[in-house]
Amino acid sequence: MQKTLYQIYHFSSGLQHRLQKRITITGFTIILCLIFAAALGIDTTQNTTYQIFTFLVSILIISTIFSIFFNARFRVTRTIPKFATIGVKLKYKITIHNQTKTIQTSLKLFENFADPRPTFKEFLETPEPEENQRTALDIKLGSYRWLWLVARKQCGIAKTLELPPLKPNSKTEVIGEIIPTHRGVMRLVSLTIARPDPLGIFHACQTISLPQSLLILPQLYQLPPIQLPGFRKYQSGGIALASSVGDAEEFRSLREYRPGDSIRKIHWKSWAKIGKPIVKEEQDEFFVRHALILDTFQPEKYSQILEVAISLAASLAADVQTQESLLDLMFVGNEAYCFTFGRGISYTEKMLEILASVGACRDKSFDSIIPVILEKISMLSGCICIFIAWDEQRKKLIEYLAKMNIETLVFMLKNNQNYDWEYLSKNDFIKYDSTRFYILNIDNIQQELMKL
């Protein structure tokens, strides 16, 4: 049953994709009239509807012949950025070179994405977010799941462009528009230039291969001024060492080698010049450092609450980049990760690029993120936690942070979890003096963030 449904969706989706470019709205109307006339004109002795059928068939045959011949030659270039953001309209430049000696008019331009149709395995194993709220029939048929998977893999919607007249042997610039809808890699494979036949029923199409890709970043929420927890702490080795990239340190001066100095600190040029070992001395600093702990633990591959959590993490991290502090982004995917940003170590663009690729952790428990946190705990000024669930493991983490006197800001995302929110608010969420809890409903997350 599922295999048959998949084959039907796969075929019909591909057919729809082709027909949308080949047939105009007028053409679809005539084809519907043709079908209606065929149904009514079966008995030619009782009515004359068959004459309408014959007339419409003649029109379609003529239009088909005209649509076959489209010998114009074009060269197209597309200039797109490396990144786009969900919900922010992307505008980019397309240059079309008409290589013929005649003016080309009434043309349309279509963007072609890489085939977004899911595999049979993906169709079986990847439910639509909140699919359990649909009817049993909808779940069994899987039509909404199919549409969501196609949209998820395509990552956006491109606007069909009405091209201005293209002058002979000249270049014309137009502005393309894409609305990103899902984070991930958007792959564009070609552009199709279409010209209607004289009757306006079919399009003659010419497809130009032009493969390019861009990364769709998480949606960014508008945030009010948020006072992040914590205060300055001593960071041995300064900013460079704080990034935990090798043993690189902020240079302060040169001095003679002392027993116990790391070989990595040796300044080889000075040793060669002076004839004795010289080492680089680092600069120690005090500054603010926060951990941003992103909860990715859930049984589903995709969910609305995880997408909101990632967008909130991106929004908070982008805000921290404007402040004089370091930020350790911590989450678990295939393994536990920690990326450091701020104070010139890395930039917002890189951080958003990482968050665009974050997926759900389905095969590990929440405890798997604890070692990453413990590794940085002594240097942290404060913590920001974004939770998509609440249980004993998360509770123990908050208790441990409170015990270590680390000020913590917790964003608890609320969807349809079966929690007694009133009980949690009066008990678990108020027992720690150094911790602030905010319960945010994901259905109106932007409005609730502005109330903070």
Side-chain angles (χ1 to χ4, degrees):
M1 176 65 176
Q2 293 298 314
K3 184 68 173 180
T4 302
L5 285 172
Y6 173 79
Q7 291 172 339
I8 292 172
Y9 293 146
H10 194 274
F11 173 78
S12 60
S13 181
L15 181 63
Q16 180 188 18
H17 177 73
R18 290 178 177 86
L19 294 182
Q20 282 179 340
K21 292 183 177 64
R22 286 286 181 179
I23 306 177
T24 66
I25 296 177
T26 303
F28 279 113
T29 304
I30 290 177
I31 290 172
L32 288 175
C33 292
L34 180 69
I35 295 171
F36 189 65
L40 294 179
I42 295 176
D43 188 355
T44 59
T45 62
Q46 297 295 322
N47 58 61
T48 59
T49 310
Y50 71 92
Q51 295 177 359
I52 299 175
F53 175 81
T54 306
F55 174 70
L56 294 176
V57 168
S58 302
I59 290 177
L60 293 178
I61 291 173
I62 294 171
S63 294
T64 302
I65 294 172
F66 273 106
S67 67
I68 293 174
F69 303 102
F70 186 27
N71 298 321
R73 298 187 309 277
F74 303 99
R75 190 172 64 209
V76 182
T77 58
R78 183 202 298 121
T79 306
I80 58 174
K82 291 171 58 180
F83 306 104
T85 303
I86 290 177
V88 179
K89 186 182 295 184
L90 171 65
K91 294 188 177 183
Y92 56 98
K93 185 174 70 175
I94 301 173
T95 304
I96 306 166
H97 184 191
N98 177 13
Q99 296 179 311
T100 66
K101 296 180 180 180
T102 58
I103 189 169
Q104 301 292 332
T105 60
S106 304
L107 301 180
K108 290 185 177 181
L109 184 69
F110 299 90
E111 279 284 5
N112 297 319
F113 295 89
D115 191 348
R117 291 174 293 184
T119 63
F120 181 57
K121 183 179 180 182
E122 289 173 330
F123 180 63
L124 284 181
E125 298 179 356
T126 312
E128 174 196 12
E130 317 301 330
E131 188 176 78
N132 56 354
Q133 297 181 14
R134 297 200 179 275
T135 65
L137 181 61
D138 286 338
I139 294 174
K140 188 172 183 179
L141 292 177
S143 57
Y144 289 102
R145 176 186 294 195
W146 175 271
L147 294 174
W148 177 80
L149 283 170
V150 168
R152 179 73 182 80
K153 293 190 72 174
Q154 186 167 295
C155 292
I157 301 170
K159 179 183 178 182
T160 301
L161 301 180
E162 302 278 352
L163 296 180
L166 305 182
K167 297 179 180 180
N169 295 310
S170 63
K171 295 181 179 180
T172 302
E173 289 187 358
V174 295
I175 302 299
E177 290 185 10
I178 292 177
I179 300 177
T181 56
H182 297 81
R183 61 188 178 88
V185 179
M186 177 185 289
R187 292 182 173 85
L188 305 172
V189 294
S190 61
L191 289 158
T192 295
I193 297 177
R195 183 188 67 187
D197 67 79
L199 299 177
I201 296 174
F202 295 123
H203 280 136
C205 295
Q206 188 175 122
T207 298
I208 302 160
S209 178
L210 194 61
Q212 287 180 282
S213 63
L214 66 156
L215 187 66
I216 307 302
L217 305 176
Q219 180 180 0
L220 295 179
Y221 300 123
Q222 184 180 355
L223 298 176
I226 296 177
Q227 184 64 39
L228 298 179
F231 48 87
R232 293 178 180 268
K233 273 197 173 183
Y234 173 72
Q235 307 287 336
S236 177
I239 295 174
L241 184 61
S243 66
S244 298
V245 180
D247 283 331
E249 300 172 353
E250 281 199 56
F251 176 77
R252 186 175 67 181
S253 62
L254 297 174
R255 60 171 173 80
E256 292 187 8
Y257 175 83
R258 298 172 188 164
D261 285 337
S262 171
I263 193 172
R264 294 185 180 183
K265 295 182 179 180
I266 294 177
H267 194 263
W268 300 101
K269 290 184 178 180
S270 298
W271 189 356
K273 184 177 181 180
I274 299 176
K276 56 183 178 180
I278 301 294
V279 297
K280 294 175 288 185
E281 193 169 30
E282 74 277 6
Q283 178 179 353
D284 297 327
E285 289 190 4
F286 288 82
F287 51 83
V288 176
R289 183 173 189 157
H290 292 101
L292 176 55
I293 302 170
L294 175 60
D295 183 358
T296 59
F297 301 90
Q298 63 175 26
E300 305 86 3
K301 188 173 182 179
Y302 298 104
S303 71
Q304 184 185 2
I305 195 169
L306 178 59
E307 293 300 315
V308 172
I310 292 171
S311 292
L312 179 56
S315 304
L316 288 166
D319 183 67
V320 169
Q321 295 295 286
T322 64
Q323 303 183 26
E324 288 297 316
S325 63
L326 280 181
L327 180 71
D328 293 316
L329 173 62
M330 303 177 184
F331 63 91
V332 177
N334 295 328
E335 57 182 275
Y337 298 97
C338 178
F339 299 96
T340 303
F341 303 93
R343 294 179 66 98
I345 291 177
S346 193
Y347 299 95
T348 305
E349 186 179 88
K350 182 64 177 176
M351 176 269 303
L352 294 175
E353 186 178 349
I354 291 169
L355 286 170
S357 305
V358 172
C361 182
R362 306 165 65 191
D363 57 351
K364 298 180 180 69
S365 67
F366 185 81
D367 286 343
S368 58
I369 200 173
I370 300 301
V372 180
I373 300 172
L374 295 180
E375 184 180 346
K376 305 286 185 180
I377 196 76
S378 62
M379 297 180 286
L380 295 178
S381 307
C383 275
I384 306 168
C385 300
I386 302 175
F387 288 158
I388 61 176
W390 183 254
D391 57 15
E392 283 300 316
Q393 293 177 334
R394 291 166 177 81
K395 184 177 178 180
K396 286 180 181 178
L397 171 63
I398 299 303
E399 289 176 346
Y400 178 75
L401 294 174
K403 184 178 178 181
M404 296 294 293
N405 294 320
I406 294 178
E407 295 189 41
T408 305
L409 189 61
V410 180
F411 294 98
M412 183 70 219
L413 299 186
K414 175 182 177 183
N415 190 14
N416 54 5
Q417 305 102 315
N418 189 24
Y419 299 144
D420 186 343
W421 294 103
E422 185 176 352
Y423 173 83
L424 292 177
S425 299
K426 293 180 179 179
N427 292 274
D428 289 10
F429 294 171
I430 63 169
K431 60 193 298 185
Y432 314 107
D433 294 335
S434 58
T435 305
R436 288 179 287 160
F437 283 86
Y438 295 101
I439 301 175
L440 304 174
N441 192 324
I442 66 170
D443 292 331
N444 54 347
I445 182 71
Q446 180 60 78
Q447 294 88 332
E448 298 210 359
L449 284 172
M450 295 307 296
K451 296 177 183 177
L452 296 180

